[in-house]
Short mmCIF file of all heavy atoms in Angstrom, two decimals:
data_model
loop_
_atom_site.label_atom_id
_atom_site.label_comp_id
_atom_site.label_asym_id
_atom_site.label_seq_id
_atom_site.Cartn_x
_atom_site.Cartn_y
_atom_site.Cartn_z
N ILE A 50 -6.97 15.84 -2.43
CA ILE A 50 -6.79 15.46 -1.03
C ILE A 50 -6.63 13.95 -1.01
O ILE A 50 -7.54 13.22 -1.44
CB ILE A 50 -7.98 15.90 -0.16
CG1 ILE A 50 -8.11 17.42 -0.16
CG2 ILE A 50 -7.82 15.37 1.27
CD1 ILE A 50 -9.36 17.93 0.52
N ASN A 51 -5.48 13.50 -0.54
CA ASN A 51 -5.16 12.06 -0.54
C ASN A 51 -5.36 11.43 -1.91
O ASN A 51 -5.79 10.29 -2.03
CB ASN A 51 -5.97 11.32 0.52
CG ASN A 51 -5.50 11.65 1.91
OD1 ASN A 51 -4.31 11.83 2.15
ND2 ASN A 51 -6.44 11.75 2.83
N GLY A 52 -5.11 12.19 -2.96
CA GLY A 52 -5.16 11.68 -4.32
C GLY A 52 -6.50 11.83 -5.02
O GLY A 52 -6.61 11.53 -6.20
N ALA A 53 -7.52 12.28 -4.34
CA ALA A 53 -8.84 12.46 -4.96
C ALA A 53 -9.10 13.95 -5.16
O ALA A 53 -8.74 14.77 -4.31
CB ALA A 53 -9.93 11.88 -4.08
N PRO A 54 -9.72 14.32 -6.27
CA PRO A 54 -10.05 15.74 -6.48
C PRO A 54 -10.88 16.28 -5.30
O PRO A 54 -11.73 15.56 -4.75
CB PRO A 54 -10.87 15.72 -7.77
CG PRO A 54 -10.36 14.52 -8.51
CD PRO A 54 -10.09 13.50 -7.43
N VAL A 55 -10.61 17.53 -4.92
CA VAL A 55 -11.26 18.10 -3.74
C VAL A 55 -12.79 18.07 -3.84
O VAL A 55 -13.48 17.98 -2.82
CB VAL A 55 -10.76 19.53 -3.45
CG1 VAL A 55 -9.30 19.53 -3.06
CG2 VAL A 55 -11.02 20.46 -4.62
N GLY A 56 -13.34 18.11 -5.03
CA GLY A 56 -14.79 18.09 -5.20
C GLY A 56 -15.42 16.72 -5.04
O GLY A 56 -16.64 16.60 -4.99
N MET A 57 -14.59 15.70 -4.96
CA MET A 57 -15.09 14.34 -4.74
C MET A 57 -15.00 14.06 -3.26
O MET A 57 -14.09 13.41 -2.77
CB MET A 57 -14.29 13.33 -5.54
CG MET A 57 -14.48 13.47 -7.03
SD MET A 57 -13.57 12.21 -7.91
CE MET A 57 -13.67 12.84 -9.57
N ASN A 58 -15.98 14.59 -2.53
CA ASN A 58 -15.94 14.48 -1.08
C ASN A 58 -17.27 13.93 -0.55
O ASN A 58 -18.22 13.70 -1.30
CB ASN A 58 -15.61 15.85 -0.47
CG ASN A 58 -16.61 16.91 -0.88
OD1 ASN A 58 -17.83 16.70 -0.87
ND2 ASN A 58 -16.11 18.08 -1.28
N GLN A 59 -17.32 13.71 0.75
CA GLN A 59 -18.50 13.11 1.37
C GLN A 59 -19.75 13.96 1.19
O GLN A 59 -20.84 13.43 1.00
CB GLN A 59 -18.26 12.85 2.86
CG GLN A 59 -19.28 11.94 3.47
CD GLN A 59 -19.28 10.56 2.83
OE1 GLN A 59 -18.26 9.86 2.87
NE2 GLN A 59 -20.38 10.15 2.23
N GLN A 60 -19.61 15.27 1.20
CA GLN A 60 -20.76 16.15 1.02
C GLN A 60 -21.41 15.93 -0.35
O GLN A 60 -22.63 15.82 -0.46
CB GLN A 60 -20.35 17.60 1.20
CG GLN A 60 -21.50 18.57 1.08
CD GLN A 60 -21.06 20.02 1.27
OE1 GLN A 60 -19.88 20.32 1.38
NE2 GLN A 60 -22.02 20.93 1.28
N VAL A 61 -20.61 15.85 -1.39
CA VAL A 61 -21.12 15.63 -2.75
C VAL A 61 -21.74 14.24 -2.86
O VAL A 61 -22.84 14.07 -3.39
CB VAL A 61 -20.01 15.85 -3.80
CG1 VAL A 61 -20.46 15.42 -5.18
CG2 VAL A 61 -19.56 17.31 -3.80
N VAL A 62 -21.02 13.24 -2.36
CA VAL A 62 -21.54 11.87 -2.41
C VAL A 62 -22.86 11.76 -1.65
O VAL A 62 -23.83 11.18 -2.14
CB VAL A 62 -20.49 10.87 -1.87
CG1 VAL A 62 -21.09 9.48 -1.70
CG2 VAL A 62 -19.28 10.84 -2.79
#
Side-chain angles (χ1 to χ4, degrees):
I50 297 172
N51 289 323
V55 294
M57 293 183 192
N58 58 46
Q59 194 61 61
Q60 182 180 6
V61 171
V62 170

